[in-house]
Amino acid sequence: MITLRISFLLAIDLVEEHAKKLPKKHKKKTKSKAKSKSNKSKKMPETANNSCYKVIEVQNPISYVHIEYELFPKKFKYGADVVCWGPVAKIFTKNGAKVLRTVTTNNTVWVPVFLEHYLNPVPTEEIRKLLNQVISVHIKTGKSSVGAKVKADKKKIFYLHKDDFHNDFFAELYTDKPIDKEEVRKNAIQRILLNLLNFPVNHEIVSWVYNMDDVHAHKICQIIIRRSVGEEIRCKEFCAEEKVAKKDKKKRKKKETKKSGGNYKTDLKIPSHVLLSDPLLSTFQVRETGNRLRQIFILMSSENILTTFQKQQLCPLVVKIRKISHLPFEILTRNGFSQIYLNCEIPDVCEFKTAIKPVCDTVHFDESRFVITSDLPEIKILEMLQTRRAILKILGVRSVSTKNLLQRKGNKKKNKKKEKLNQDKTGDDVALAVATFDLSALIKSFHLFKEKGQCYNMRSVTTEKPPKLDSYLMDRRFTINELNLTECAKNGPNSLLADPVLFWKGTTVKFEAHFLAPPHPLFHIKGASNSYRRLLVIIFNHGVAKSLFDNLLKHNYGILGPGPLLIPNFLAQKRYSVNPDQLNLEKEQVLSGFCVDDDNSVIFYIEGPSNGYFLELVHQITGLNYSTARVFYNSEYLFEERLYQTFQKNFGFLIITLKLPLVDIFTQEKTYIEGNVPVHCFKAIQKLNLILHSSTFKSILSHSLVPTEIELLSFSVEYGYQVRYHFKQLKKSSLFDVKTKNVDLFGQKRA
């Protein structure tokens, strides 16, 4: 059974006249007839009966509030009317009424409205719809907004039980005189009835006005104490309002002013996914209030909204962004940044933006998302957890004054009107810093992942998505401009927050993630047939490199047939005829990748099917000595796609024979002058340099250090020889055959 709890905490201004008038305490009056009839009443003193309760009498109400909300769009609406007399407030609902003694601090009356709803488990389709829905809340003030029951109710005398005499918090009041024995009996019967009535029938929703839940009561007590001192409360943000035309806004304002007559009215939208991502408690605050309503807080919580079967079926991932700590806000404010927000990207899983917050030292977001991972391919989830990172970018909103722009235009009178309407104009959002998180810990267990990630400059971390290579570049000759001037992710202006500043301040982002159930793909994905493996080898012996190259040629030629290697701008020759049916069946067994030969070492990147010749190749390579080669490989890593699918058309590998060793290219000063080297080529140089300094295969994959197809082509055109390899009869060779020395991969002697 699902339990939904929602609380409204209203802060109402207390008029001075009502503040001076204290509630009256009445002594119990006994009639003379009753004294003559019973001797017991004569013996019992009046103070004994008076100690059972206190009488509180109220006069004119100071505020009327109507609350209405829609938990499920067009399915379930519920509302409550609140009448406040100052020390006493009465709550009216469809299912009954409740009277409470309020709490008064600093001439402010705090009135809580706590409601509970019970319903049967919701189907999985409704859970999916709930992620994109909102909970509409409408709050009105004024006597005209409440119902007929409230207007007809004329009770102004209430009773406080003796157990609540010394209770400074909210206490329940009674409309009749409470007697201990009868009260105990009523409470016992009420508990039995409520336990029976709480179970809904079919699709019904049972609702009650209860005493506050312990979690809600504790949070409400904290809010009252902190607000009385002047402290701010950390709350979530409502859904952003949709843009409305100016004419519609003017019409709405006119209608509201005519109808309301000065009364307060607001419409709020709460994201429904909060019930799934933050079931314990979510707090919202209404910033704009009026008509004696100083503050409004909304608290929501849920229990058992997902069944055990639904958790296993949907395999949901809950992502939470807590805060940014130690942000160098002085630098940002000096450069015109007044607001910031975060963009969270979990590759191939989800991407969302947080609410915009003002710039300060510690920025609290408290954003959460509920992501259903069962819709994604199983291998994609495993690949993301093992070899990818969650990327959180800090984006700044720069405010640009428009006064100078308006003064250049025609009439000054028109400009003054425009200045009043548009004092600030937001410019483009600028990426300030980035933090990354490794979620591989969620593979071993589904417990909470919590970490404070260090922030870095945007240019210190590779976060862009690799551009796809146009197929026409592989099917014909291309010019250098066509290659280097293709669309790529433009580097934005260098961020104001350099790495030394972020390290010195200790700027961090607090991030959390956890699965509600063990990730289902991790138990049976190992036997997947349509998966790929990756391998990276740096070989220092050219004899071993040539043997490996011959084996790759022999394997791919056995499937694709003999033909030219993939050398840029030398693809005119066609392959020998191959049976197309056989090619389609065996095409998946082709190995693909790239090879970079710089005379000092040879870098091989190989990818292929998880089962087949690739495993035999791995078995041979892993036996090499560390002085002969460095091998980067992990047998647990599986991938859904190839990185170099385009190279599969022509032998599968791109061979790059460099004019200079990589070390000389890295040390040339002209390489790092902006505009001297094409953008794609420079990215390939950066990634190859980091690969040579990497220690694990995970660091290479998680930081996206493997160059893309277009980056390798640009690097080959700039620094490589344009040669062609002619097919010859290949012989079986072993990787441990090191007799051939001082020859390149094509068998040519080196100078």
Side-chain angles (χ1 to χ4, degrees):
M1 184 175 62
I2 300 174
T3 304
L4 302 178
R5 299 184 178 93
I6 181 168
S7 299
F8 297 88
L9 182 60
L10 309 176
I12 303 172
D13 279 342
L14 185 63
V15 184
E16 295 181 359
E17 297 179 357
H18 289 82
K20 292 178 181 179
K21 294 181 181 180
L22 298 175
K24 297 180 180 180
K25 299 178 183 178
H26 292 266
K27 293 183 179 180
K28 186 176 180 181
K29 297 180 180 180
T30 57
K31 297 182 179 180
S32 58
K33 295 181 180 180
K35 291 181 180 180
S36 61
K37 290 182 180 180
S38 60
N39 295 326
K40 293 182 180 179
S41 61
K42 293 180 181 179
K43 296 179 181 179
M44 185 179 294
E46 292 182 0
T47 55
N49 283 335
N50 291 340
S51 62
C52 295
Y53 59 88
K54 286 183 181 180
V55 180
I56 300 177
E57 183 179 359
V58 295
Q59 297 179 357
N60 296 326
I62 63 173
S63 180
Y64 294 90
V65 182
H66 174 72
I67 300 171
E68 185 178 359
Y69 55 91
E70 190 175 10
L71 285 176
F72 302 98
K74 299 180 181 180
K75 289 185 179 181
F76 178 74
K77 283 186 178 181
Y78 201 76
D81 293 330
V82 181
V83 183
C84 180
W85 290 275
V88 179
K90 191 170 185 179
I91 304 164
F92 296 85
T93 62
K94 299 177 183 178
N95 305 98
K98 197 175 189 65
V99 187
L100 295 174
R101 185 188 64 183
T102 60
V103 174
T104 304
T105 58
N106 300 331
N107 289 334
T108 302
V109 179
W110 296 91
V111 181
V113 181
F114 180 74
L115 304 168
E116 275 190 350
H117 305 282
Y118 300 91
L119 62 156
N120 287 320
V122 181
T124 305
E125 296 178 357
E126 296 294 331
I127 296 294
R128 293 179 180 273
K129 294 179 181 179
L130 199 64
L131 298 178
N132 300 321
Q133 294 176 352
V134 294
I135 300 173
S136 301
V137 180
H138 309 283
I139 300 176
K140 301 178 183 179
T141 61
K143 191 173 182 179
S144 59
S145 62
V146 297
K149 289 184 180 180
V150 182
K151 297 176 182 179
D153 185 69
K154 297 181 179 180
K155 293 183 179 180
K156 295 186 178 181
I157 298 177
F158 305 98
Y159 301 90
L160 178 67
H161 195 268
K162 65 178 181 180
D163 295 338
D164 297 321
F165 285 177
H166 303 287
N167 183 12
D168 296 333
F169 199 57
F170 302 104
E172 185 177 1
L173 300 179
Y174 302 91
T175 55
D176 298 327
K177 299 176 183 179
I179 301 175
D180 289 343
K181 293 182 179 180
E182 293 183 3
E183 186 180 357
V184 172
R185 188 182 303 170
K186 287 181 180 179
N187 291 336
I189 296 173
Q190 185 179 8
R191 289 173 185 172
I192 297 172
L193 292 175
L194 290 178
N195 290 331
L196 296 174
L197 294 174
N198 282 347
F199 291 94
V201 180
N202 298 329
H203 299 290
E204 294 181 356
I205 298 178
V206 178
S207 305
W208 291 99
V209 185
Y210 278 163
N211 293 325
M212 282 183 290
D213 178 62
D214 293 338
V215 178
H216 286 238
H218 177 70
K219 185 64 177 180
I220 288 175
C221 183
Q222 282 186 341
I223 292 173
I224 295 174
I225 294 173
R226 291 181 180 178
R227 290 305 299 159
S228 61
V229 182
E231 295 182 4
E232 291 293 332
I233 307 298
R234 287 162 41 189
C235 300
K236 295 181 178 294
E237 296 292 334
F238 294 100
C239 292
E241 296 182 358
E242 298 180 357
K243 295 182 179 180
V244 187
K246 294 182 179 179
K247 295 182 180 179
D248 296 339
K249 286 184 178 180
K250 292 180 180 179
K251 290 180 181 179
R252 288 185 180 180
K253 287 182 180 179
K254 290 180 180 179
K255 290 180 180 179
E256 288 178 3
T257 53
K258 289 181 181 179
K259 291 182 179 180
S260 59
N263 293 329
Y264 173 74
K265 178 182 178 182
T266 183
D267 297 330
L268 308 171
K269 293 183 179 180
I270 300 174
S272 299
H273 67 77
V274 170
L275 299 174
L276 298 167
S277 58
D278 282 319
L280 183 60
L281 187 65
S282 299
T283 308
F284 299 86
Q285 182 180 4
V286 182
R287 304 291 179 181
E288 298 179 359
T289 57
N291 192 17
R292 304 187 65 178
L293 269 180
R294 284 188 179 180
Q295 303 171 49
I296 303 174
F297 292 91
I298 303 175
L299 288 73
M300 298 185 66
S301 63
S302 63
E303 289 183 4
N304 304 324
I305 197 168
L306 288 177
T307 62
T308 305
F309 175 75
Q310 288 176 340
K311 290 180 181 179
Q312 296 177 354
Q313 181 185 12
L314 300 177
C315 192
L317 174 66
V318 178
V319 180
K320 297 182 180 181
I321 301 174
R322 293 300 186 186
K323 62 179 179 178
I324 301 176
S325 301
H326 307 295
L327 182 70
F329 64 96
E330 301 92 349
I331 300 175
L332 299 179
T333 52
R334 283 200 303 266
N335 290 273
F337 290 97
S338 58
Q339 296 175 327
I340 62 170
Y341 65 94
L342 281 173
N343 181 57
C344 177
E345 178 187 358
I346 301 179
D348 301 325
V349 176
C350 70
E351 183 175 1
F352 64 92
K353 296 179 181 179
T354 64
I356 299 176
K357 298 285 186 176
V359 174
C360 58
D361 180 71
T362 302
V363 183
H364 294 274
F365 290 97
D366 292 327
E367 293 274 352
S368 60
R369 289 296 185 275
F370 185 88
V371 184
I372 297 175
T373 61
S374 61
D375 298 336
L376 302 172
E378 299 170 350
I379 191 172
K380 191 179 289 293
I381 303 173
L382 183 62
E383 180 182 346
M384 180 273 296
L385 294 175
Q386 289 180 334
T387 63
R388 306 296 292 275
R389 299 165 297 160
I391 302 171
L392 273 70
K393 295 181 182 179
I394 302 176
L395 300 170
V397 180
R398 192 196 300 270
S399 57
V400 182
S401 177
T402 58
K403 292 183 179 180
N404 297 329
L405 297 175
L406 294 172
Q407 287 176 358
R408 296 178 184 177
K409 296 183 180 180
N411 298 326
K412 294 183 179 180
K413 295 181 180 180
K414 294 181 179 180
N415 292 339
K416 290 181 180 179
K417 293 180 180 179
K418 291 181 180 179
E419 286 178 9
K420 293 180 180 179
L421 295 174
N422 302 322
Q423 292 181 355
D424 293 328
K425 181 181 179 181
T426 56
D428 296 334
D429 299 344
V430 180
L432 301 174
V434 62
T436 59
F437 299 89
D438 181 12
L439 303 180
S440 59
L442 296 176
I443 298 176
K444 299 180 181 179
S445 64
F446 59 96
H447 298 292
L448 177 64
F449 169 84
K450 184 185 296 185
E451 184 178 337
K452 288 184 178 180
Q454 175 65 45
C455 294
Y456 299 90
N457 186 277
M458 288 299 301
R459 295 192 176 185
S460 301
V461 181
T462 305
T463 58
E464 74 276 3
K465 297 179 181 179
K468 294 183 179 180
L469 182 64
D470 294 334
S471 59
Y472 75 89
L473 291 177
M474 307 304 301
D475 297 334
R476 66 175 182 84
R477 292 177 179 269
F478 55 84
T479 63
I480 295 178
N481 289 336
E482 287 178 337
L483 176 65
N484 292 327
L485 299 181
T486 53
E487 295 183 0
C488 61
K490 296 181 180 180
N491 288 330
N494 194 9
S495 175
L496 300 170
L497 305 180
D499 285 337
V501 176
L502 296 172
F503 295 159
W504 179 71
K505 291 284 291 186
T507 306
T508 57
V509 177
K510 189 175 181 181
F511 178 78
E512 298 178 8
H514 69 278
F515 284 100
L516 294 184
H520 61 88
L522 308 182
F523 296 102
H524 56 273
I525 194 64
K526 298 296 183 182
S529 58
N530 55 346
S531 59
Y532 300 92
R533 297 182 186 272
R534 297 173 184 175
L535 169 71
L536 193 142
V537 188
I538 304 175
I539 301 177
F540 307 106
N541 189 302
H542 283 82
V544 176
K546 186 177 183 302
S547 300
L548 174 61
F549 184 71
D550 291 343
N551 291 337
L552 295 175
L553 281 178
K554 181 182 177 182
H555 174 74
N556 285 356
Y557 280 174
I559 299 174
L560 300 175
L565 288 180
L566 181 55
I567 306 297
N569 276 352
F570 286 92
L571 306 178
Q573 292 186 1
K574 296 183 179 179
R575 294 189 175 280
Y576 297 105
S577 60
V578 182
N579 187 1
D581 297 333
Q582 181 182 0
L583 180 62
N584 293 330
L585 293 174
E586 299 180 357
K587 189 176 180 180
E588 290 298 325
Q589 294 296 327
V590 174
L591 301 179
S592 58
F594 67 87
C595 175
V596 179
D597 183 7
D598 71 339
D599 194 18
N600 292 330
S601 61
V602 182
I603 302 175
F604 282 97
Y605 174 86
I606 307 169
E607 58 185 6
S610 57
N611 299 320
Y613 179 72
F614 187 90
L615 296 178
E616 181 181 350
L617 191 66
V618 170
H619 179 69
Q620 296 178 9
I621 292 176
T622 52
L624 296 176
N625 190 2
Y626 183 77
S627 60
T628 305
R630 291 179 60 190
V631 181
F632 296 92
Y633 175 72
N634 193 325
S635 59
E636 295 182 356
Y637 293 171
L638 295 175
F639 304 91
E640 183 187 16
E641 298 176 350
R642 298 175 185 260
L643 288 180
Y644 302 101
Q645 187 73 26
T646 310
F647 295 166
Q648 196 173 359
K649 297 180 180 179
N650 298 275
F651 170 66
F653 283 85
L654 174 65
I655 309 300
I656 303 175
T657 304
L658 298 179
K659 305 173 186 177
L660 298 173
L662 284 173
V663 178
D664 295 341
I665 296 175
F666 298 153
T667 55
Q668 287 182 352
E669 295 181 356
K670 62 180 182 180
T671 304
Y672 303 96
I673 299 176
E674 188 173 0
N676 196 23
V677 178
V679 176
H680 296 301
C681 178
F682 183 73
K683 289 183 179 180
I685 294 173
Q686 284 182 315
K687 293 179 179 180
L688 291 173
N689 187 13
L690 293 173
I691 286 176
L692 295 178
H693 291 84
S694 299
S695 58
T696 61
F697 197 34
K698 181 179 179 61
S699 62
I700 295 175
L701 296 175
S702 61
H703 291 85
S704 304
L705 299 183
V706 182
T708 61
E709 296 171 333
I710 194 169
E711 291 171 358
L712 289 172
L713 284 176
S714 179
F715 179 66
S716 177
V717 171
E718 291 293 325
Y719 292 97
Y721 287 110
Q722 302 299 304
V723 295
R724 185 190 302 176
Y725 180 81
H726 294 280
F727 173 74
K728 295 181 180 180
Q729 187 68 26
L730 297 175
K731 298 180 181 180
K732 292 183 179 180
S733 60
S734 173
L735 295 180
F736 301 97
D737 183 12
V738 295
K739 294 181 180 179
T740 56
K741 296 181 179 180
N742 297 326
V743 293
D744 59 9
L745 297 179
F746 305 107
Q748 302 293 330
K749 292 184 178 181
R750 297 183 182 273

